[in-house]
């Protein structure tokens, strides 16, 4: 079944945390000594900031300065056994939210089980996680229900559709909960994190931008706040009425195909992948729509989000699903350049482009696609 495209809210930090000159992390993990070592990892985009220190009688400490609150990970290596490239190793890791405050972690045996004290940021994270947990538990119940079904039931399209409807209801509940929090807490860092998880192509980006602008200006200028602003700016480029950004990618035969090649026709850019079950379930609807309207000037351009290692599976899926329109892909998975251009974070995702090259609709699935094409090609007099 389709899994949720929304992420758990990671945490929050009040504005007051920035007043402290830096952060201090104090750890106490049992009575571990050298060669036991603690690592602090903070990721800034594609870069990783790494610090490390040995444990003495279970104690370790990190100090530094954060310009903005960030997600971080603490790892404790209990011995000097090196990582083996051919062997899976379980790491002792604790995710935290790091800002300019003092945080203490204590545990009898492992960092993953450590209790965090002294941190307003992480305390609020726990509070909000607990607030959202009952809603996310509904997803778990849905997955548990699905996994308990016999294989025949799992392939029942009517049953799958009911699950997706119920999953959508849960998504809406999460959306409402997050929006409610943002509205009530414009001065909290959590509001930026909540909004960040909602900025996606299938949401009303102009409405989200209005909400974003109600958040405290200092928070909007934080590292994550700037990322959210960039996401919003990118997604505004895919609004209805905006000219679709052109791109070119190799087709199954290796020849380059441009979106602009389709000027003069209605074209649906369909982002999908061979491994994506909801995409594969949607393909019959696309086949039906294509057969019905291709003679009237309707085209589909499939864009693969598969990796190079899955190219054979991609080609087989095209054949198995009888996708007769052009398919392209740079085989970079989620880093597909067209996908990045259109801010595709979940699939299936599509954009309907008119003959003038402008976006007129997006995220059209099932009957919604059929109804939209009907209004275009068979308008009522």
């Amino acid at each position: 079944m389709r899994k949720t495209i929304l992420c758990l809210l990671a945490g929050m930090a009040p504005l007051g945390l920035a007043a402290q000159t830096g952060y201090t992390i104090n750890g106490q993990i049992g009575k571990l000594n050298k060669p036991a070592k603690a690592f602090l990892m903070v990721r800034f985009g594609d870069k990783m900031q790494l610090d490390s220190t040995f444990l003495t009688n279970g104690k370790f400490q990190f100090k530094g300065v954060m310009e903005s609150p960030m997600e971080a990970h603490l790892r404790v290596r209990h011995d000097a056994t090196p990582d083996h490239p051919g062997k899976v190793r379980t790491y002792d890791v604790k995710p935290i939210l790091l800002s300019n405050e003092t945080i203490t972690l204590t545990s009898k045996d492992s960092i993953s089980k450590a209790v965090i004290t002294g941190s307003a940021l992480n305390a609020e994270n726990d509070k909000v996680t607990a607030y959202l947990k009952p809603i996310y538990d509904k997803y778990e119940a849905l997955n548990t229900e699905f996994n308990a079904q016999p294989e025949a039931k799992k392939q029942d399209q009517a049953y799958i559709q009911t699950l997706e409807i119920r999953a959508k209801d849960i998504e809406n509940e999460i959306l409402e909960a997050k929006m409610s929090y943002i509205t009530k807490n414009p001065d909290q860092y959590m509001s930026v994190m909540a909004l960040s998880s909602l900025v996606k192509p299938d949401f009303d980006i102009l409405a989200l931008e209005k909400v974003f602008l109600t958040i405290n200006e200092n928070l909007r200028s934080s590292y994550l706040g700037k990322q959210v602003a960039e996401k919003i700016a990118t997604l505004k480029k895919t609004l209805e009425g905006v000219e679709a950004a052109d791109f070119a990618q190799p087709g199954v035969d290796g020849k380059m195909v441009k979106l602009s090649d389709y000027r003069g026709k209605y074209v649906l850019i369909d982002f999908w992948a061979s491994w994506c079950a909801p995409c594969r379930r949607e393909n019959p609807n696309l086949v039906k729509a294509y057969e019905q309207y291709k003679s009237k000037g309707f085209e589909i351009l499939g864009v693969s989000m598969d990796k190079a290692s899955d190219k054979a599976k991609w080609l087989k899926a095209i054949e198995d699903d009888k996708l007769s329109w052009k398919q392209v892909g740079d085989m970079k998975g989620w880093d597909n350049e067209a996908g990045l251009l259109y801010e595709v974070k979940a699939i299936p995702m599509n954009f309907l482009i008119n003959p003038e090259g402008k976006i007129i609709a997006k995220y059209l699935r099932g009957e919604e696609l059929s109804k939209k094409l009907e209004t275009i090609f068979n308008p009522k007099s």
Side-chain angles (χ1 to χ4, degrees):
M1 64 176 287
R2 178 186 175 201
K3 293 185 178 179
T4 175
I5 62 174
L6 298 178
C7 299
L8 283 169
L9 297 175
M12 65 179 286
L15 284 173
L17 293 179
Q20 188 170 321
T21 57
Y23 66 81
T24 300
I25 301 175
N26 295 310
Q28 177 73 59
I29 310 301
K31 301 296 181 181
L32 294 175
N33 285 287
K34 188 177 180 179
K37 197 172 187 179
F39 300 84
L40 173 63
M41 298 164 281
V42 185
R43 183 176 294 280
F44 296 86
D46 295 331
K47 297 180 180 180
M48 175 72 77
Q49 177 180 301
L50 178 66
D51 196 1
S52 64
T53 184
F54 288 107
L55 274 70
T56 302
N57 199 28
K59 297 181 182 296
F60 68 86
Q61 185 179 82
F62 292 107
K63 288 190 174 185
V65 177
M66 299 295 294
E67 292 186 4
S68 297
M70 296 288 291
E71 294 182 62
H73 287 82
L74 283 167
R75 174 191 167 192
V76 171
R77 188 183 67 192
H78 291 244
D79 53 44
T81 303
D83 292 341
H84 192 286
K87 184 178 180 181
V88 178
R89 182 171 181 176
T90 301
Y91 295 111
D92 184 16
V93 179
K94 180 78 171 181
I96 64 170
L97 294 172
L98 185 60
S99 189
N100 294 323
E101 58 176 349
T102 298
I103 174 174
T104 300
L105 299 96
T106 56
S107 173
K108 294 181 179 180
D109 51 18
S110 65
I111 191 72
S112 62
K113 299 177 182 177
V115 175
I116 299 175
T117 57
S119 167
L121 185 153
N122 285 278
E124 191 64 25
N125 172 44
D126 293 341
K127 174 183 174 182
V128 176
T129 298
Y131 164 64
L132 290 170
K133 187 177 183 302
I135 309 177
Y136 282 102
D137 283 348
K138 295 179 181 181
Y139 271 124
E140 292 303 317
L142 215 56
N143 284 323
T144 299
E145 175 190 326
F146 175 77
N147 292 328
Q149 303 302 318
E151 282 304 314
K153 186 74 170 180
K154 290 180 180 179
Q155 302 302 320
D156 184 341
Q157 294 304 306
Y159 173 64
I160 294 298
Q161 187 174 15
T162 65
L163 290 181
E164 292 192 346
I165 292 173
R166 290 155 64 189
K168 186 64 178 177
D169 289 340
I170 299 171
E171 282 185 15
N172 290 335
E173 191 174 350
I174 293 172
L175 171 62
E176 291 175 5
K178 291 181 179 182
M179 293 297 281
S180 174
Y181 182 86
I182 297 168
T183 302
K184 296 175 181 177
N185 298 276
D187 292 330
Q188 295 287 357
Y189 181 68
M190 171 50 117
S191 292
V192 182
M193 298 198 74
L195 197 67
S196 178
S197 69
L198 299 177
V199 181
K200 300 182 185 299
D202 52 326
F203 285 176
D204 185 341
I205 197 62
L206 293 180
L208 290 179
E209 182 180 39
K210 289 180 180 179
V211 174
F212 179 63
L213 293 175
T214 67
I215 296 175
N216 184 285
E217 184 177 358
N218 289 336
L219 293 175
R220 300 201 311 270
S221 299
S222 67
Y223 181 84
L224 181 59
K226 291 177 180 178
Q227 287 188 318
V228 172
E230 289 175 2
K231 283 184 181 180
I232 290 174
T234 298
L235 287 175
K236 286 175 70 174
K237 296 177 182 178
T238 64
L239 289 174
E240 293 181 20
V242 174
E243 184 170 342
D246 196 14
F247 62 87
Q249 293 200 357
V252 296
D253 57 1
K255 295 181 180 179
M256 298 301 291
V257 179
K258 294 181 180 180
L259 173 62
S260 54
D261 293 340
Y262 291 85
R263 280 294 177 93
K265 295 185 176 182
Y266 286 91
V267 56
L268 185 77
I269 311 173
D270 177 44
F271 291 93
W272 72 292
S274 63
W275 46 261
C276 170
C279 302
R280 303 294 296 275
R281 289 197 297 270
E282 186 65 20
N283 279 341
N285 294 325
L286 296 180
V287 170
K288 180 180 177 181
Y290 187 63
E291 290 300 317
Q292 186 173 359
Y293 294 109
K294 66 179 181 179
S295 63
K296 296 185 178 183
F298 174 60
E299 288 289 345
I300 301 176
L301 177 59
V303 181
S304 171
M305 303 297 283
D306 287 283
K307 295 181 179 179
S309 58
D310 292 326
K311 185 173 182 178
K313 294 179 181 178
W314 171 51
L315 296 176
K316 186 176 186 301
I318 293 172
E319 181 179 359
D320 290 348
D321 293 359
K322 297 179 174 57
L323 310 182
S324 57
W325 51 89
K326 287 186 179 180
Q327 299 285 339
V328 300
D330 57 16
M331 300 293 99
K332 295 180 181 180
W334 286 109
D335 290 325
N336 179 288
E337 292 183 10
L340 294 176
L341 187 63
Y342 282 78
E343 198 71 17
V344 175
K345 300 298 183 183
I347 51 177
M349 184 64 198
N350 58 44
F351 299 84
L352 183 61
I353 316 300
N354 71 8
E356 290 71 44
K358 293 185 178 181
I359 298 171
I360 58 172
K362 57 186 177 181
Y363 202 59
L364 297 169
R365 297 181 62 184
E367 287 302 312
E368 291 181 3
L369 175 60
S370 297
K371 290 177 181 178
K372 184 64 176 181
L373 295 178
E374 179 74 14
T375 62
I376 293 172
F377 296 108
N378 296 317
K380 295 180 179 180
S381 56

